[in-house]
Amino acid sequence: MKEKETILIIDDETQIQRLLEITLSASGYKIIHAQNGQDGLVAAATNNPSLILLDLGLPDIDGQNLLIKLRDWFKNPIIVLSVRNTEIEIIKALDNGANDYLTKPFRTGELLARIRVVLRANSIIDNDSTLSFGDLCIDLLNHTVKLKNEIVKLTATEFSLLSLLAKNSGRVLTHQYILKEVWGYGYSEHSQYLRVFVAQLRKKIEENPSKPKLIITESGIGYRFGE
Amino acid sequence: MTNFQKIKYSFKSLINSNLGQYIISILIISITAFLCSPLANTNNYHVVSFILLFVVSFLSTFMGIRPVLLASTLSALAWNFFFIPPHLTFHIEKTEDILIFGLFFIIALLNGVLTTRVRRQEKIAIEREKRTNALFQLTKELSKTSGIIEVVDVSQKEIKKNFDVNPIIILQDGNEKLVLPESEKLKLINYETAQWSFSNTEKAGANTEHFATNNYTYFPLFGSKIKSGIIAINNYNKISGDKISFWDTFVVQISNALEREILIEMAQKVRFLDESDRLYKTLFNSISHELRIPVATIMGASDSIINSENSKEVQMALCNEIFTASLRLNRLIENLLNISRLESGYLSIRLDWHDINDLINKVLNELEYELKDYTIKVNIPDEMPLIKIDFGIMEQVLYNLIYNSSQYAPPGSIIQINTLFNNNKFIIEVLDNGPGFKEADLKNVFKKFFRADGSKTGGLGLGLSIVKGFVEAHNGNIIVKNNIEGGVKFALTIPSEIPEIENI
């Protein structure tokens, strides 16, 4: 087994800290705590953790600002854990560089799954030319997609949408971001295009398009590519 | 002013002044006597007496009693002196002329006196009618008002119109203390005098027995049960004679109107307090119950895990209980937050295009644990377009509806979700084949804190009222009915359009 991955928890609620420590240690992670934003910054700099779990309601500094400060230099994934559950707050956190967002109360199973996904996604090397997710295989160089070894015919837009999602697998991409990346700046308000294309893509690559497993909807926020 | 108007005006002012009336009387009688002078040496001097009588009667129609008396005396003397032979003496030769002179004098006097008396009566009658009208107007205007402020406004306006004074109405604060509103005009008010008048229910200030040095006069406004405040006016001396009783009636009318409004307001306050008291008690009772049960479960179960030697299965079962209790607590918090969002008016709807599949999947995923013993059927037509909704809000709507079905329909039941798009509206139906609601309960289903008999576990009775509020925030509506074949059907309809999608 490889070296234990370190997770930094920045949260001032001791009960949440204890719960996270118990669950995450049991899953084989090494845990570091920080009670406030300042300590969090220092701990992140000295330990360079593989992942940060960040609470937004910190006593000394607003979590969103801390997120921006961290993202100046911290390259590893950050997952926000917060009681703030409005779409605006979540989108803001994602725009500020969070890889994922979980609202409290959360299920620990869900948290562990998200942690695994972002850690794995982070280890995918950028110049990999093929991405595989179960039966789905995406060849980024040749612009081909195979499902169970059969070629899936995709339009150019469908392919760029799928490859964008797949390259960021595990990470929530906001509607705005996807629209900007796939269609360009002028289309950021046309969410209906995105919906239609996602529905088309699902019909082509999902086993059961009405219960998607690959392109997962994050309500009011965006999409996440899972497996 | 034209010359004619000037003359008319000066004539009017002459008639209206006392001295002017005397002068006019003398002038007119002299002129008439002069005009009749050709008849002086004839046998027709009796005719002159009739002409003079006519002139006196004419004068009495627009002059005061004294000038008319003067005119009567003057005309009698003039007739005697110039016309009754022997001329230019007051001596009368013939006995019949003495008689006629006497009669003339009496008739002229009577004539003048009676006419002016009739006129005075008429004037009083007109004045009385004016007052009756003014009072009628006041009562009519006051009865149209609603609210204390309107009564005050109408009263002040009517007083100004009828008495030519500047009234200020000052009301009490509920603790028998007058409250001076912030206004320039009110700097003229002497608070002590006003308060004294109010406390002693007696008029005070200028032209009264108390605090007479004031500029204003203060009248208490009191009805049969409560004192509402005072009226202050600046020129009480303008209200004199029989106008005083008119004024008093006015004040009584205003007092009554104010009392009525204050009583209505008090009754409303009491009702409101009752209502909020009742709500508070319901909320408090049910919340403390709803909080205690899951907390008790969590405490008991975790205590047992920590302190007792249990088999692995028992431990798992206890952990399951803890998990269920925490879900219940979380739902309670969610619903309380949602209802306060609705009630506070801070709910803002952010509409965007969404796939109805996503909505239903999301909710069914969230409810996976609660729905594990139910069969779920989802019908979404292939041609279902995107819908324009606030995803988070509609998620709560559907969550509460489906969760509600799982609470009222026994495990093993079928819960069916149908969607439909028709006429720029989409419809979502949630049906179950459980026992359904009692007919009498159907109309209460969406009411806050309503809980039908036979619901499984606790709950505040907020879920469906949140559903209704959120659907209405989308400009939609929701109905509930019992299915003929059993079970309940909720159907919500929300307007939406078909998105424009061209060459993408």
Side-chain angles (χ1 to χ4, degrees):
Chain A
M1 197 178 161
K2 60 175 177 174
E3 196 187 333
K4 274 188 182 179
E5 280 168 306
T6 314
I7 296 180
L8 168 63
I9 302 168
I10 309 178
D11 196 321
D12 61 322
E13 287 288 342
T14 42
Q15 195 158 22
I16 296 281
Q17 274 195 9
R18 274 206 304 271
L19 170 71
L20 288 174
E21 175 150 21
I22 294 166
T23 340
L24 297 178
S25 304
S27 300
Y29 297 103
K30 194 180 156 213
I31 305 300
I32 313 165
H33 291 299
Q35 298 274 3
N36 57 50
Q38 269 314 318
D39 292 359
L41 274 173
V42 174
T46 45
N47 298 292
N48 193 30
S50 318
L51 177 92
I52 296 179
L53 292 179
L54 174 65
D55 179 29
L56 291 184
L58 295 169
D60 56 341
I61 175 173
D62 184 75
Q64 297 278 14
N65 291 335
L66 182 62
L67 190 52
I68 295 168
K69 280 189 183 171
L70 278 169
R71 270 298 174 232
D72 277 347
W73 53 270
F74 186 77
K75 299 292 175 223
N76 289 340
I78 300 176
I79 296 179
V80 171
L81 275 179
S82 174
V83 287
R84 301 184 196 169
N85 60 356
T86 61
E87 288 160 11
I88 296 170
E89 195 78 33
I90 297 171
I91 290 171
K92 198 170 152 196
L94 294 171
D95 285 345
N96 285 339
N99 296 59
D100 209 338
Y101 196 110
L102 267 177
T103 51
K104 290 177 189 167
F106 53 85
R107 301 187 183 181
T108 41
E110 176 84 17
L111 175 66
L112 284 170
R114 300 275 183 102
I115 290 175
R116 270 198 302 275
V117 169
V118 290
L119 283 178
R120 180 147 15 109
N122 206 44
S123 65
I124 293 175
I125 302 151
D126 282 347
N127 55 18
D128 258 5
S129 63
T130 41
L131 303 170
S132 306
F133 303 90
D135 292 336
L136 187 76
C137 205
I138 305 167
D139 187 336
L140 294 173
L141 277 181
N142 299 315
H143 283 217
T144 50
V145 175
K146 280 183 187 170
L147 185 66
K148 291 178 182 165
N149 278 326
E150 291 196 18
I151 297 255
V152 182
K153 278 187 186 167
L154 294 182
T155 65
T157 316
E158 282 168 358
F159 183 81
S160 49
L161 175 61
L162 177 62
S163 56
L164 177 72
L165 288 166
K167 274 189 274 186
N168 292 286
S169 85
R171 184 169 181 170
V172 185
L173 301 182
T174 62
H175 298 140
Q176 295 259 333
Y177 179 77
I178 301 173
L179 282 163
K180 198 182 74 191
E181 292 291 311
V182 177
W183 279 274
Y185 273 99
Y187 288 85
S188 57
E189 297 301 316
H190 294 68
S191 61
Q192 70 269 33
Y193 292 8
L194 182 54
R195 308 271 174 230
V196 171
F197 272 86
V198 167
Q200 285 174 13
L201 255 183
R202 278 174 176 162
K203 276 183 194 148
K204 291 182 180 177
I205 63 167
E206 295 277 3
E207 205 174 323
N208 180 357
S210 63
K211 281 191 178 164
K213 294 233 156 48
L214 290 170
I215 305 177
I216 295 157
T217 304
E218 289 292 323
S219 45
I221 296 156
Y223 294 98
R224 167 211 309 279
F225 201 80
E227 64 240 71
Chain B
M1 244 189 225
T2 63
N3 277 344
F4 175 71
Q5 273 174 326
K6 258 185 205 164
I7 292 164
K8 202 172 149 190
Y9 179 76
S10 48
F11 184 70
K12 245 190 184 161
S13 59
L14 198 61
I15 285 180
N16 286 338
S17 76
N18 254 334
L19 188 67
Q21 289 198 350
Y22 289 115
I23 294 168
I24 288 171
S25 299
I26 296 167
L27 268 176
I28 287 188
I29 296 297
S30 314
I31 292 166
T32 319
F34 176 75
L35 290 176
C36 291
S37 56
L39 298 170
N41 292 318
T42 64
N43 277 335
N44 296 328
Y45 63 90
H46 290 120
V47 177
V48 178
S49 71
F50 282 101
I51 294 171
L52 285 169
L53 272 180
F54 168 74
V55 171
V56 171
S57 312
F58 174 71
L59 285 176
S60 64
T61 57
F62 61 89
M63 287 213 249
I65 184 138
R66 277 162 222 267
V68 170
L69 285 178
L70 176 72
S72 324
T73 320
L74 212 60
S75 61
L77 292 176
W79 186 49
N80 180 359
F81 192 75
F82 294 109
F83 298 97
I84 301 177
H87 302 301
L88 303 176
T89 64
F90 288 111
H91 178 69
I92 302 172
E93 250 172 20
K94 294 187 204 161
T95 13
E96 73 220 56
D97 282 349
I98 295 177
L99 200 65
I100 291 174
F101 173 75
L103 280 174
F104 176 90
F105 194 61
I106 291 165
I107 289 171
L109 282 180
L110 274 178
N111 203 339
V113 172
L114 285 178
T115 325
T116 41
R117 187 174 291 168
V118 167
R119 267 183 46 232
R120 200 201 293 144
Q121 293 295 339
E122 187 189 42
K123 215 167 139 191
I124 290 171
I126 289 171
E127 188 66 23
R128 204 171 280 157
E129 197 187 321
K130 231 167 85 186
R131 283 174 198 177
T132 319
N133 271 337
L135 273 175
F136 175 68
Q137 182 73 13
L138 175 74
T139 0
K140 200 175 83 184
E141 291 295 321
L142 285 179
S143 68
K144 271 194 276 183
T145 57
S146 72
I148 295 172
I149 294 167
E150 258 184 59
V151 171
V152 169
D153 282 352
V154 165
S155 305
Q156 297 192 147
K157 205 181 80 206
E158 291 293 318
I159 291 175
K160 215 175 266 180
K161 203 165 83 188
N162 288 290
F163 296 95
D164 190 28
V165 293
N166 264 327
I168 302 168
I169 292 180
I170 302 166
L171 299 175
Q172 66 142 318
D173 60 354
N175 295 315
E176 308 282 303
K177 285 266 173 294
L178 294 178
V179 189
L180 289 181
E182 307 263 329
S183 155
E184 274 305 302
K185 202 161 78 164
L186 293 172
K187 287 187 177 157
L188 305 164
I189 295 292
N190 181 321
Y191 185 77
E192 268 85 72
T193 317
Q195 184 64 46
W196 186 91
S197 159
F198 175 75
S199 305
N200 296 287
T201 45
E202 213 174 307
K203 66 181 174 188
N207 301 308
T208 67
E209 291 163 20
H210 310 280
F211 304 96
T213 49
N214 274 289
N215 294 326
Y216 275 75
T217 316
Y218 304 87
F219 299 87
L221 294 167
F222 56 100
S224 54
K225 289 194 188 70
I226 38 175
K227 297 196 270 186
S228 28
I230 56 125
I231 298 185
I233 55 170
N234 52 349
N235 286 318
Y236 184 43
N237 52 352
K238 274 193 189 168
I239 301 169
S240 57
D242 48 355
K243 238 182 167 180
I244 292 177
S245 64
F246 178 40
W247 166 254
D248 290 342
T249 325
F250 235 74
V251 174
V252 169
Q253 288 295 336
I254 293 168
S255 296
N256 288 340
L258 275 174
E259 183 177 43
R260 181 194 72 204
E261 288 304 325
I262 290 173
L263 285 175
I264 290 174
E265 211 156 89
M266 277 162 70
Q268 269 168 350
K269 254 184 210 157
V270 169
R271 242 200 326 271
F272 181 73
L273 278 178
D274 270 5
E275 180 74 3
S276 59
D277 196 42
R278 196 183 63 80
L279 267 180
Y280 175 76
K281 275 185 191 144
T282 321
L283 195 65
F284 194 76
N285 286 339
S286 41
I287 288 181
S288 48
H289 176 260
E290 281 300 303
L291 282 172
R292 277 220 181 92
I293 302 299
V295 169
T297 314
I298 292 172
M299 271 172 81
S302 49
D303 184 50
S304 167
I305 293 171
I306 297 166
N307 295 321
S308 318
E309 294 281 330
N310 294 314
S311 67
K312 184 104 178 136
E313 289 79 54
V314 173
Q315 284 211 3
M316 274 312 287
L318 289 171
C319 287
N320 247 322
E321 286 309 316
I322 295 175
F323 185 61
T324 316
S326 65
L327 286 181
R328 186 169 161 190
L329 271 179
N330 195 36
R331 245 191 322 269
L332 173 77
I333 294 164
E334 202 64 39
N335 273 346
L336 283 174
L337 287 176
N338 282 330
I339 203 86
S340 69
R341 270 164 97 190
L342 266 175
E343 307 255 298
S344 67
Y346 283 126
L347 181 70
S348 68
I349 298 285
R350 289 169 62 236
L351 293 179
D352 200 355
W353 297 107
H354 290 282
D355 189 337
I356 206 162
N357 276 296
D358 282 345
L359 180 71
I360 293 172
N361 279 331
K362 179 83 197 291
V363 174
L364 291 180
N365 274 337
E366 273 171 44
L367 281 167
E368 206 178 358
Y369 183 80
E370 289 85 349
L371 294 177
K372 59 183 188 300
D373 298 327
Y374 294 83
T375 308
I376 309 297
K377 288 184 179 169
V378 181
N379 297 315
I380 303 172
D382 284 342
E383 66 282 5
M384 187 75 192
L386 297 176
I387 52 174
K388 213 172 189 182
I389 53 167
D390 183 313
F391 196 97
I393 298 283
M394 282 309 292
E395 196 183 314
Q396 290 292 328
V397 167
L398 207 57
Y399 181 100
N400 282 353
L401 280 178
I402 298 174
Y403 178 73
N404 183 75
S405 292
S406 75
Q407 290 303 293
Y408 286 93
S413 303
I414 301 167
I415 297 175
Q416 193 176 323
I417 301 148
N418 299 330
T419 69
L420 200 70
F421 195 92
N422 197 357
N423 256 338
N424 282 335
K425 283 178 190 127
F426 72 87
I427 297 164
I428 302 178
E429 293 176 346
V430 176
L431 300 93
D432 65 56
N433 60 349
F437 285 112
K438 283 183 195 151
E439 277 306 314
D441 285 348
L442 277 176
K443 64 177 189 301
N444 294 321
V445 163
F446 294 112
K447 281 189 185 152
K448 249 184 297 180
F449 301 119
F450 174 77
R451 311 221 34 248
D453 301 335
S455 54
K456 244 191 257 173
T457 49
L460 279 177
L462 289 178
L464 291 178
S465 72
I466 291 169
V467 165
K468 189 172 159 67
F470 281 2
V471 168
E472 282 168 0
H474 275 85
N475 296 320
N477 64 65
I478 181 159
I479 51 165
V480 57
K481 59 181 177 191
N482 285 325
N483 288 322
I484 306 161
E485 57 273 29
V488 181
K489 172 170 150 183
F490 286 95
L492 63 88
T493 310
I494 289 178
S496 183
E497 46 204 298
I498 295 178
E500 279 176 36
I501 298 168
E502 341 103 352
N503 52 23
I504 36 177

